[in-house]
Amino acid sequence: MNGDDRFEIAVSRRVAASADKVFDAWLDPVLAAKWLFKTPNGEMIKSEIDPVVGGEFCLTERREDEDVEHYGEFIELERPTRIVFDFSVNQSETSRVAVDILPV
């Protein structure tokens, strides 16, 4: 994908938890390993998160005979409402991801 192929996707989901708990679930390595980038049959074998602006994360899931590495660098962290990071899988192309946590 080149710079002319930009697009935006919006996904929303209701979670029965406070904004603080949802924010923490994205940034705590133990919590994130339970759900972030996890597939039904995969096994999360590595979860490292440095939850500061400029900090990086790497979550690695073993899927049958392949390890899939999810990398990122935090661009914005506004507790408890916003997380922005650059993201790539197996160090391929990078995408910018913004997560907005809106209490309802």
Side-chain angles (χ1 to χ4, degrees), residues 30-104:
V30 174
L31 294 174
K34 294 178 181 180
W35 69 275
L36 188 58
F37 313 121
K38 189 158 178 17
T39 61
N41 297 320
E43 173 192 2
M44 198 61 71
I45 60 171
K46 177 171 137 182
S47 179
E48 297 175 348
I49 300 174
D50 183 12
V52 298
V53 172
E56 298 180 344
F57 65 82
C58 180
L59 285 91
T60 304
E61 184 183 45
R62 180 152 295 143
R63 298 178 185 168
E64 295 187 20
D65 297 332
E66 177 184 22
D67 289 349
V68 180
E69 297 178 311
H70 303 85
Y71 292 97
E73 178 180 347
F74 294 108
I75 307 302
E76 290 179 48
L77 293 171
E78 296 176 22
R79 183 175 188 81
T81 59
R82 186 165 171 84
I83 301 169
V84 178
F85 56 92
D86 287 339
F87 174 69
S88 68
V89 177
N90 291 338
Q91 295 192 346
S92 61
E93 291 183 31
T94 300
S95 299
R96 175 76 39 103
V97 177
V99 177
D100 291 306
I101 301 165
L102 307 172
V104 291

